[in-house]
Amino acid sequence: IQGTIRPHAIIILPNTSGMELLLTYEDEGIYIDIYGHFTKETVLQWGEMPASVAYLQSNQVMGWGEKAIELRSVETGDLEGVFMHKKAQKLKFLCERNDK
């Protein structure tokens, strides 16, 4: 990537003893180990650039974009749900509270 990279989140993948990570930046995410080696050929690709990204206890990653909230599998990056919204807001933090 040329220029500035906009990072979102570093997510420790479940069932890896803290050895594998999902790094989310710009409009994608990559799977690496703690040594910086790729662990999956898969690249998580958001439908639109998220302003915020958060890990959910349901093993999903949530991305808040300008027009939609996307839920993706943390293991595969597959799209599992989309919630459309009309009002774009800039969030300081995006997180899960009480399993919601």
Side-chain angles (χ1 to χ4, degrees):
I1 296 177
Q2 300 292 326
T4 306
I5 297 173
R6 191 170 122 198
H8 296 297
I10 299 171
I11 299 163
I12 299 170
L13 295 176
N15 305 319
T16 65
S17 302
M19 299 294 287
E20 294 183 22
L21 311 166
L22 170 60
L23 302 179
T24 59
Y25 60 93
E26 299 296 328
D27 64 346
E28 63 186 24
I30 57 171
Y31 297 87
I32 63 169
D33 63 19
I34 60 170
Y35 305 107
H37 303 112
F38 290 100
T39 58
K40 295 182 183 183
E41 297 287 326
T42 306
V43 174
L44 184 148
Q45 188 71 49
W46 297 104
E48 66 175 326
M49 178 78 74
S52 302
V53 173
Y55 173 72
L56 306 178
Q57 291 178 359
S58 57
N59 286 334
Q60 293 174 314
V61 64
M62 176 172 52
W64 178 282
E66 201 171 307
K67 297 178 183 170
I69 300 169
E70 293 181 39
L71 294 174
R72 294 188 170 271
S73 165
V74 90
E75 296 289 335
T76 64
D78 292 338
L79 183 64
E80 294 186 345
V82 176
F83 300 94
M84 303 304 290
H85 61 84
K86 292 181 181 180
K87 187 176 180 184
Q89 296 176 335
K90 188 169 185 173
L91 303 176
K92 202 172 208 181
F93 299 102
L94 180 64
C95 61
E96 175 181 40
R97 182 178 174 147
N98 298 330
D99 233 1
K100 296 180 180 183

